[in-house]
Amino acid sequence: MRNTNIALLNLTQQKIEMMLREIDTNTINFIQEPEVGFFLNGRYMNDELRFNHFRVLNDRFKTLIFANNNISSFYLYSLESKSLLTGTSFSDEANFYDMSWKDAFTSMKGYQQWLDTRKIVEINSGLQLDKNVITLIRSYPLIGMQQFRKGAIIVNIEESTISNLIQDVDKQRVGNTLVINEQGMIISSQNKAQLFQHISSMESAPALGQLAGSGYAAHQTNSGSYTTFYLTSRYNGWKYVSIIPNPEMNRPLEITRNLLLTVAIGMFVLAIVIVFAVSNYTFRPLELFFRSFTEKKLGHHGDLTYMEKFFKQIISDNESLQKQMHESLPALKWRLIMSLLMGDKTNYSRMQPYFDTLGISLYPVQYVVLVIELDRIQDIATPRDVYLFTYAISNVAEELVDGVCKGVTVELTDGRVAVIMSFEAEDAQGNQLQALQVADLVKNYVAGHFKQTVTIGMGRPHLQLEGIQASYQESLNALKYKLIMGDNIVVSIEDIAGNNHNDKFYRISGMSEAVVGLIQDTDKVKLGMQLEKMFDEIRSTNVPPETIKQICIQLIMKSIKVISDKGMEIKEFLDPKENIYNRIDACANVDEIKSYISAFLNQLIVRTEEKRLIKGSNDTIKQVQEYLELHYMDSDLSLNLLASEFGLSVPYLSKLFKETTETNFIDCLIQIRMEKSKELLMDPKRKINTIAESVGYNSTHSYIRIFKKYTGQTPGEFRGKP
C-alpha cells in the first residue's frame, strides 16, 4: 500500500511537471521570435514599424494560447521602455493591472523561476476576473547575466489547473494531496481554503522538518493517526504531499481480505454443487458461467456455439490491445531513455523488464553518452529537412553502435541526438576508445552520405545506470566547445578537462589589459598582434565558452572607459541600435568573435585619432601649458587662478584641457613638478624640504607622498639609487 501511494504521488508529480516543462519550452520558443527582441529592447525606427511588430506579436500570442490551453495569460515586460504588452493591450508599467511579480524578477539570480500561487485581478475584454495563478518568469536574453537583462516574459497558469491534475490521479484515493513550497506554504490544493496557508495550520499534517527528500512518515494527532507521503521536485523545489488517515488507507486491505474469504467460501460451495450436478448436466455450469459474462443467450440450450463466439471476442479484444500497445512503444521508449539521461531511473534490475518490453538491450556495467548536433541548422532548407536528417542520424548511430557494443539512441530536439553506449567489461580506457571510434564513424557517414556535418560531444565512461546522467551532462558541456574548436569534430570531455579555468581566466584577462593599453596608445598594428596572441591562447587552452564571452565583453567595456576617460563622447562611437552582448552571443565560433572584436576596437582607434586631430591645434591650451612650465613653483597655482589669468570659466577650461591633452590639470601639474624635482635631487647638497618648496609644496610630507606615488620611490631612495 505504501509503494502504491508513493507511485501515485510520483505520477501526480510527473503529470504536473510535464505540463510545467511544456509551458517553459513553449515560452523559450516564443521569446526567441525576432519581434519579441525588438519589443524588449525597446527600439523601433518609427511608429509604423512598432505597430507592425505589435500586430505580428498579437498573432504569436494567439498561437501560443491556442497551442497550450493550460496557459491562462502571459505578457512581455520591457525594462528599456518600462512597458508591458499582452495579447490585447499595451500599457506602461505604472498603469498595468499586475506587477506583483516584479520584485521576484528583480531579485532573480537564474534565468527562470516559478512563483508560488498568488492572487491577481486579471482584466480580459474589459472584465475584471479574480484568479489564483502560478507564474513563470523567464528573463530575456535567455542566458543573459543579470546586469544585461532587457526584459522578461511572464506566464500565468490557474492554480485550479494543477489541482485538477491532482484530482485526476487521486479519483479513487482517500486523503488530501497538496503542493507546497520549500518554506511549507501551500501552493495548490483541492480545498481552496488551504491556499496561502502554512502546512502547519493543518492538524493532520506533520512538521515541515519531517518532509526532507522523499518518503513517508507516520504520525499521531488529536484527531487520529495519519501517514504522510511526500516527494521533493528537482525541477523547482516544490514538495508533493499526500496525507491519508490510517483507517482509510488500511480499508482496501480489509476489503480485499473479506473479498478473498467470500470467494473461498463461494468456491467451496460451488465445488460441492458441481460434484452433484456433473452427472446430469455436464455443460450446465459452463453455460451459466459464460452467460454471466455475455448476459444473453447466443445459442440453443446445450449448444456450445455461444462459447466459441465468446472466445473469439476475447481473442479480438486481445489483438486490439496488442495493436495499441505496439503503437505506444516509440513514445514509451523515448520517455524511458529521457528518464535515464535525466537520472530518474538508476536501478538496473528494476528497469530490466521495461528494457525487454521496449526492445532496449543494455549491458549493466559501464556507460558512455554521445550527443550529436547538426552544424549550421539555419542553412538547411526547411524544418522538415532538419527533422529528417535528425531521424536518419539517430538510425545510423544506433546501427553503428550495435556493431561495437549495445546501445540506444533518442532524438532530443530537431538537429540533436543522444546516444547511450553500454559495455560488458569495466575497461574505461578501452571503452572510451570504442566510443571515439563510433563517433568518428557517425561523423564520416553523415559527411559522405548526407552531405552535412555534425559536431559530437562525448562524456566519460561511468559505472551503473546513475552514471548515464553524469556522462550525458559531460557530453553537453563538451559540445559547448564547438564555439572554440569549430564544426565537424568530435569533442571529448577529456580534451577540455583537467585544466585550471581560474588560471586561464586571469592569464587571458591579463592579455586583454594589454589590449586596452594599446587602445589608449591608438596603436593599430600592435593591437592586431596582441589580439592574435590572445585568441591563440584562448584556442590552445580550451577556455569555457561562457568565460570567453565574459572576457570579450569586459574588454569592450574597458576600452570604452579608456576612450571616455580621454574626454571623448562615447555616443559618437557606438551605434545605439546594436546590443554588444547579443552580438557576441550570436557568434558561432571564436573566429567570428575575434573578427567582431577586432573591427570594433579598430573603429574606436580610428574615431579617436580623428577626434584628436581636431582637438590638437588648440592655442589656448598651449599657452596654459607654457604658463605652467614657468609658474609650477607657485604653491597657490590652481585651475581657478588659470581661468582668471586667461579669462575663461573654470568648467570650460577644465573640459578644454582634458579634451586637448587627454589628462586633467592636476595630473599635468604634478608631472611637471615631479620631473623638475628629479633634476634638483641630482644635486646631493640640496635638502629635501628645500626641493619641496622649490617645486611648489609647502608641506614636505605631502611632497614625499606624491613623489613616491609618482615614481615608486621616496626622494631619498631616488637620490641614493646607483
Side-chain angles (χ1 to χ4, degrees):
M1 291 299 295
R2 288 170 177 164
N3 290 341
T4 300
N5 277 280
I6 290 177
L8 286 172
L9 194 58
N10 189 52
L11 180 59
T12 300
Q13 177 191 359
Q14 289 181 357
K15 291 185 69 173
I16 292 174
E17 291 190 0
M18 187 178 297
M19 178 196 69
L20 298 180
R21 289 177 187 273
E22 181 184 7
I23 290 174
D24 199 359
T25 300
N26 291 340
T27 302
I28 291 173
N29 294 334
F30 180 85
I31 206 171
Q32 295 183 83
E33 296 288 345
E35 292 79 12
V36 173
F38 272 102
F39 172 74
L40 294 178
N41 282 307
R43 297 177 182 146
Y44 291 100
M45 296 291 294
N46 50 57
D47 288 341
E48 182 181 357
L49 180 60
R50 179 162 64 102
F51 290 136
N52 287 337
H53 281 180
F54 280 11
R55 186 166 57 253
V56 173
L57 283 175
N58 186 262
D59 293 337
R60 299 278 193 272
F61 273 84
K62 293 177 181 178
T63 301
L64 181 55
I65 290 291
F66 179 77
N68 195 322
N69 56 11
N70 290 318
I71 297 176
S72 172
S73 62
F74 71 100
Y75 21 91
L76 297 171
Y77 172 62
S78 171
L79 270 172
E80 294 288 332
S81 61
K82 301 295 182 184
S83 60
L84 294 102
L85 181 67
T86 71
T88 58
S89 65
F90 171 74
S91 174
D92 291 335
E93 176 181 334
N95 300 321
F96 196 64
Y97 62 84
D98 173 26
M99 293 300 297
S100 60
W101 49 267
K102 177 71 179 301
D103 292 340
F105 168 65
T106 303
S107 61
M108 186 172 69
K109 300 298 183 184
Y111 305 132
Q112 63 93 11
Q113 181 178 347
W114 282 98
L115 304 185
D116 300 340
T117 303
R118 58 195 186 94
K119 289 182 178 292
I120 68 169
V121 179
E122 188 175 282
I123 299 176
N124 191 353
S125 300
L127 300 176
Q128 293 187 353
L129 304 174
D130 293 335
K131 290 185 177 182
N132 294 327
V133 297
I134 294 172
T135 301
L136 167 66
I137 302 176
R138 180 165 282 284
S139 65
Y140 178 87
L142 285 173
I143 58 171
M145 291 181 288
Q146 192 172 6
Q147 61 267 37
F148 296 109
R149 288 177 184 164
K150 295 299 181 183
I153 182 172
I154 297 88
V155 182
N156 296 319
I157 62 172
E158 293 191 32
E159 179 275 332
S160 59
T161 303
I162 291 181
S163 64
N164 288 339
L165 289 176
I166 296 173
Q167 186 176 8
D168 288 343
V169 178
D170 288 356
K171 284 181 181 178
Q172 298 180 359
R173 183 169 63 160
V174 296
N176 189 8
T177 301
L178 312 165
V179 182
I180 64 175
N181 64 12
E182 295 176 350
Q183 291 75 38
M185 301 302 294
I186 297 175
I187 298 172
S188 181
S189 171
Q190 295 178 42
N191 183 357
K192 304 308 176 187
Q194 295 174 343
L195 295 178
F196 312 107
Q197 303 295 320
H198 195 274
I199 192 172
S200 60
S201 64
M202 299 174 59
E203 184 180 0
S204 59
L208 182 61
Q210 295 181 264
L211 304 181
S214 302
Y216 65 89
H219 50 98
Q220 184 75 32
T221 68
N222 294 332
S223 59
S225 62
Y226 297 85
T227 298
T228 298
F229 301 90
Y230 53 91
L231 297 171
T232 302
S233 170
R234 295 181 182 178
Y235 175 57
N236 51 20
W238 291 354
K239 293 182 182 294
Y240 296 81
V241 180
S242 181
I243 305 172
I244 304 176
N246 284 337
E248 296 292 340
M249 187 175 72
N250 296 331
R251 185 166 297 153
L253 296 176
E254 296 175 358
I255 294 173
T256 303
R257 180 196 64 190
N258 294 337
L259 180 61
L260 291 174
L261 183 59
T262 302
V263 170
I265 294 172
M267 291 178 67
F268 179 74
V269 173
L270 180 62
I272 294 175
V273 172
I274 290 174
V275 168
F276 286 101
V278 71
S279 59
N280 296 322
Y281 300 96
T282 303
F283 299 107
R284 186 65 174 173
L286 291 175
E287 182 181 355
L288 294 174
F289 172 74
F290 286 111
R291 283 180 180 174
S292 68
F293 283 97
T294 60
E295 296 181 357
K296 60 184 178 177
K297 189 171 181 180
L298 302 177
H300 300 291
H301 176 66
D303 186 5
L304 296 182
T305 304
Y306 66 91
M307 294 172 59
E308 180 183 358
K309 293 181 178 179
F310 178 78
F311 281 117
K312 286 182 178 179
Q313 184 64 40
I314 291 177
I315 294 171
S316 176
D317 292 343
N318 180 64
E319 290 175 350
S320 176
L321 184 61
Q322 290 289 344
K323 181 180 179 182
Q324 293 179 15
M325 182 66 180
H326 181 74
E327 293 173 350
S328 302
L329 284 179
L332 294 173
K333 182 178 179 181
W334 182 88
R335 176 60 183 165
L336 180 61
I337 297 173
M338 291 305 298
S339 297
L340 295 175
L341 293 174
M342 294 297 108
D344 297 333
K345 308 295 184 184
T346 57
N347 189 311
Y348 186 89
S349 59
R350 292 182 60 184
M351 296 306 299
Q352 184 63 49
Y354 299 99
F355 290 164
D356 295 339
T357 302
L358 297 173
I360 299 174
S361 180
L362 296 175
Y363 290 119
V365 180
Q366 198 164 61
Y367 302 87
V368 174
V369 177
L370 311 177
V371 176
I372 307 169
E373 185 177 75
L374 264 172
D375 296 328
R376 301 193 176 276
I377 294 178
Q378 65 274 15
D379 296 338
I380 299 176
T382 65
R384 176 172 175 76
D385 292 336
V386 175
Y387 168 79
L388 292 175
F389 279 130
T390 307
Y391 178 79
I393 290 170
S394 178
N395 290 336
V396 168
E398 190 157 352
E399 290 181 9
L400 293 174
V401 167
D402 288 341
V404 175
C405 59
K406 291 183 178 181
V408 65
T409 64
V410 63
E411 298 163 44
L412 300 175
T413 58
D414 287 348
R416 183 173 283 191
V417 174
V419 182
I420 301 175
M421 301 179 64
S422 67
F423 301 90
E424 191 172 11
E426 185 179 335
D427 178 9
Q429 185 174 359
N431 296 338
Q432 193 167 27
L433 289 175
Q434 291 190 50
L436 283 169
Q437 179 184 0
V438 170
D440 281 328
L441 289 173
V442 171
K443 179 173 69 71
N444 295 335
Y445 189 97
V446 172
H449 292 78
F450 301 159
K451 307 305 178 187
Q452 299 290 331
T453 62
V454 292
T455 301
I456 304 175
M458 190 180 84
R460 296 186 183 90
H462 288 270
L463 300 175
Q464 311 302 329
L465 282 186
E466 56 262 35
I468 291 177
Q469 181 193 19
S471 187
Y472 174 60
Q473 293 300 325
E474 289 170 352
S475 65
L476 291 177
N477 289 334
L479 195 60
K480 293 179 181 178
Y481 282 78
K482 174 181 179 179
L483 176 75
I484 305 169
M485 301 181 178
D487 298 337
N488 197 29
I489 60 169
V490 177
V491 186
S492 171
I493 192 68
E494 297 290 347
D495 298 335
I496 59 176
N499 295 318
N500 190 323
H501 290 162
N502 288 332
D503 291 343
K504 298 175 188 176
F505 177 87
Y506 291 122
R507 187 163 64 252
I508 297 173
S509 181
M511 298 174 75
S512 72
E513 292 292 341
V515 172
V516 174
L518 295 172
I519 295 292
Q520 190 171 18
D521 297 336
T522 63
D523 192 334
K524 288 189 286 187
V525 176
K526 290 184 179 179
L527 173 65
M529 297 170 61
Q530 185 65 22
L531 282 175
E532 189 68 33
K533 183 179 178 182
M534 187 179 86
F535 278 93
D536 285 344
E537 181 72 10
I538 287 173
R539 293 188 190 93
S540 63
T541 54
N542 290 334
V543 180
E546 292 81 4
T547 304
I548 294 174
K549 294 175 182 178
Q550 181 182 354
I551 290 173
C552 291
I553 291 171
Q554 289 179 355
L555 173 59
I556 288 180
M557 293 299 105
K558 289 178 181 178
S559 300
I560 290 174
K561 185 177 184 303
V562 165
I563 299 302
S564 176
D565 290 342
K566 290 184 176 183
M568 306 295 180
E569 290 291 335
I570 300 304
K571 295 179 181 179
E572 299 176 17
F573 302 95
L574 296 179
D575 183 359
K577 298 178 183 178
E578 184 175 24
N579 186 308
I580 295 174
Y581 178 83
N582 289 344
R583 180 67 180 80
I584 291 177
D585 193 55
C587 292
N589 52 53
V590 172
D591 289 334
E592 288 187 15
I593 294 178
K594 176 190 168 186
S595 298
Y596 173 72
I597 295 290
S598 178
F600 185 92
L601 298 183
N602 274 288
Q603 187 65 16
L604 277 184
I605 291 177
V606 169
R607 295 290 184 85
T608 302
E609 289 176 340
E610 292 174 354
K611 199 75 174 178
R612 188 179 293 170
L613 289 174
I614 297 173
K615 298 173 182 176
S617 58
N618 197 307
D619 294 333
T620 302
I621 296 303
K622 287 183 180 179
Q623 295 175 16
V624 170
Q625 290 175 316
E626 291 172 358
Y627 185 92
L628 290 177
E629 290 285 347
L630 294 174
H631 299 86
Y632 68 89
M633 69 289 297
D634 296 343
S635 60
D636 60 346
L637 188 60
S638 65
L639 194 61
N640 289 336
L641 189 149
L642 284 173
S644 176
E645 182 71 22
F646 290 90
L648 303 172
S649 68
V650 172
Y652 177 73
L653 179 59
S654 176
K655 180 182 178 183
L656 192 63
F657 196 98
K658 188 171 184 179
E659 287 182 347
T660 305
T661 65
E662 298 181 358
T663 185
N664 57 45
F665 160 76
I666 292 297
D667 290 340
C668 183
L669 179 60
I670 289 174
Q671 181 182 3
I672 293 172
R673 286 174 171 177
M674 293 301 104
E675 294 301 324
K676 294 295 183 183
S677 66
K678 284 182 183 180
E679 296 175 6
L680 296 176
L681 284 169
M682 301 305 294
D683 184 356
K685 296 180 180 180
R686 288 180 178 269
K687 295 182 179 180
I688 301 297
N689 58 348
T690 304
I691 294 174
E693 292 177 357
S694 300
V695 294
Y697 292 98
N698 294 329
S699 170
T700 305
H701 179 72
S702 297
Y703 164 73
I704 293 173
R705 185 176 69 252
I706 293 172
F707 187 93
K708 185 174 183 180
K709 186 175 180 181
Y710 182 82
T711 64
Q713 297 175 305
T714 64
E717 292 171 345
F718 180 84
R719 170 177 277 172
K721 69 179 180 179

